[in-house]
Amino acid sequence: MTTRPIAVVGASAAGITAAETLRRAGWSGPLTLIGDEPHLPYDRPPLSKQLLHGAWEPERLLLRTEEQLAPLDLDLRLGTRATGLDVATRTLTLDGGERLACAGVIIATGVAARTLPAADGLAGVLTLRTLDDALALRDRLSGGARRLVVVGNGVLGCEAAAVARELGHEVALVGREPVPMAAAVGEGIGELLAEEHRARGVRLLTGEVAAFETATATADAAAAEGTPAQVGGVRLADGSRLPADLVLLAIGSEPAVGWLADPALDTTDGLGCDAYCAAAPGIYAAGDVARWEHPVHGRPLRFEHRMNATEQAMAAARNLVAELTAEAPAGPPEGAAEGTEPPERRPFAPVPYFWSDQYGLKLQAYGLTGGADQVETTVLDREARRAVALYGRDGRAVGALACALPPRQMRALRALVATPVPWEEARDRVREATAAG
């Protein structure tokens, strides 16, 4: 009898980590890694920073080389898209029509960049999610585009705006909310970032895109040649116009769950999972696409952060092997390595962490910073943009963020929110930690 494979869908940071963890956890059977991009798994955070800046080339983003992947004995399917999943039989359908019956599946398909219908068929309006996206944007920035309009003032938009400004381009950063990154970090830290962007020469605007305008010199020629017209500007809902050689849409993302039509799965805001990262028996999820019940915070959470992708992939892989072991009527399941101690299923209860680099500033956050009902921001040195913020929910401190703080103080903040404590106690401890620094 042929052992069915475990399939990991998504050749991402979460996907490659899941594959490696499956091997470490004792799975010696067939292992398939499916990725819709043609590239080997690569790291995404540098796309909007080092790669876009030109400091790194694509090879440096690779998470593993072909030689490093060889010991995993993968059935590597790059440039292949999963188009369906039958949950009851754990059978994947691939874009070539192949059906792959699996022992288990880990879904790590991440998210897809949102766009605007008005941008369809217009040259010079780009998104930034994949390696190819980042290279296209870098090429345009180095090829003569001098006026960049970034639509969306969240983390990605702010990082890209900072890089473009450092490269000497004119940059306008447009957001629906007046304060950059306010949804992620609160208004206090957001205002500090706004000051830095303005000081660096970025034009900050509030508004929504009403239309894109084409460059007059190219519109007629493009129509005659049947090629896309080149963007020439952005018109906002208030009637104002921003000239542009290039537009970056950084307006958020959507979990890549459109291919998951099986009614046994909950695909509301990502793929719904339990505390063990299981979406259904034998079906697990990890990374940006996964929405799971966090056992400490007691509610479903979904994080689009790099550290979470790695940590959750390890948890999902170990829990899947543990489930397959428990399913086996006698002894380890087919594909499990002989003599391997099977892992136990454990809830996934991380302390979330994310960071952002803008100009020379590093923001680092632990816990939950979005959706807080209490935020206290302390600016320790406005000129140096040194600050700390505490985030609370339902009377407990659930998140902490620091800008330009030394590592020792950052460790103190992490300990503070690892197990949420009462708001007043947390606030006093933050004051003590920052005063001591």
Side-chain angles (χ1 to χ4, degrees):
M1 179 178 177
T2 303
T3 303
R4 292 184 299 168
I6 289 179
V8 180
V9 186
S12 55
I16 188 59
T17 301
E20 291 176 333
T21 305
L22 287 165
R23 289 303 192 208
R24 288 196 299 269
W27 179 259
S28 63
L31 181 54
T32 301
L33 180 61
I34 301 164
D36 60 356
E37 295 183 60
H39 310 292
L40 290 172
Y42 60 86
D43 213 9
R44 293 189 190 276
L47 295 179
S48 59
K49 297 182 273 287
Q50 293 94 335
L51 185 85
L52 187 59
H53 203 290
W56 290 10
E57 291 303 318
E59 294 75 19
R60 190 166 176 180
L61 273 64
L62 289 181
L63 294 168
R64 303 291 183 271
T65 64
E66 290 185 2
E67 292 74 17
Q68 291 168 331
L69 289 175
L72 294 177
D73 191 22
L74 292 174
D75 173 16
L76 187 58
R77 310 282 192 96
L78 298 178
T80 301
R81 186 181 298 274
T83 58
L85 171 62
D86 183 285
V87 170
T89 62
R90 303 177 192 173
T91 299
L92 286 165
T93 302
L94 307 182
D95 54 6
E98 178 184 357
R99 289 174 61 80
L100 186 65
C102 303
V105 178
I106 296 178
I107 296 169
T109 46
V111 296
R114 290 193 183 110
T115 186
L116 295 174
D120 291 346
L122 193 59
V125 181
L126 307 178
T127 57
L128 179 50
R129 172 63 189 170
T130 68
L131 174 58
D132 290 341
D133 291 340
L135 290 174
L137 179 59
R138 188 173 79 170
D139 287 347
R140 291 297 299 266
L141 288 174
S142 62
R146 303 307 304 170
R147 301 170 300 177
L148 171 67
V149 174
V150 180
V151 181
N153 60 1
V155 178
L156 178 63
C158 287
E159 289 180 349
V163 169
R165 192 69 197 101
E166 287 178 330
L167 292 173
H169 299 278
E170 297 178 23
V171 180
L173 181 60
V174 182
R176 288 185 174 183
E177 301 299 325
V179 179
M181 288 178 54
V185 301
E187 293 196 357
I189 296 295
E191 288 286 3
L192 205 65
L193 292 173
E195 291 176 13
E196 184 68 11
H197 278 282
R198 290 192 186 99
R200 300 281 186 157
V202 175
R203 184 182 177 191
L204 302 182
L205 301 101
T206 305
E208 294 191 29
V209 173
F212 295 104
E213 298 179 354
T214 57
T216 304
T218 67
D220 293 340
E225 297 172 6
T227 58
Q230 169 65 38
V231 70
V234 177
R235 186 155 44 85
L236 302 183
D238 63 4
S240 58
R241 181 185 179 278
L242 305 175
D245 303 309
L246 192 60
V247 175
L248 173 63
L249 298 181
I251 53 177
S253 57
E254 297 285 351
V257 294
W259 62 283
L260 297 170
D262 193 308
L265 299 175
D266 173 11
T267 55
T268 305
D269 185 29
L271 181 57
C273 301
D274 63 15
Y276 301 90
C277 307
I283 311 294
Y284 286 72
D288 297 359
V289 73
R291 175 176 49 84
W292 90 106
E293 293 286 340
H294 195 294
V296 174
H297 294 285
R299 60 192 178 95
L301 298 175
R302 187 174 68 83
F303 294 119
E304 296 183 23
H305 302 316
R306 175 64 175 83
M307 289 299 295
N308 183 71
T310 300
E311 293 176 351
Q312 193 167 30
M314 291 190 287
R318 287 193 297 262
N319 286 339
L320 173 56
V321 173
E323 179 183 326
L324 295 179
T325 302
E327 282 182 352
E334 289 185 81
E338 291 291 334
T340 302
E341 187 70 23
E344 294 181 1
R345 286 212 329 154
R346 295 179 180 176
F348 179 55
V351 178
Y353 170 76
F354 82 89
W355 77 94
S356 177
D357 295 311
Q358 297 173 40
Y359 307 107
L361 300 177
K362 179 175 283 292
L363 280 73
Q364 299 180 79
Y366 289 102
L368 310 182
T369 59
D373 55 33
Q374 285 179 286
V375 181
E376 181 172 295
T377 302
T378 303
V379 178
L380 304 169
D381 185 335
R382 183 164 292 277
E383 184 175 349
R385 315 296 186 210
R386 194 162 64 92
V388 62
L390 185 67
Y391 305 83
R393 187 183 177 100
D394 299 328
R396 299 186 305 162
V398 295
L401 179 148
C403 183
L405 248 63
R408 180 174 58 82
Q409 291 177 320
M410 285 304 307
R411 288 193 294 270
L413 293 179
R414 184 189 187 283
L416 183 66
V417 298
T419 303
V421 300
W423 174 258
E424 296 295 336
E425 177 187 341
R427 189 170 62 178
D428 291 343
R429 287 167 59 182
V430 167
R431 289 170 178 171
E432 291 173 4
T434 52

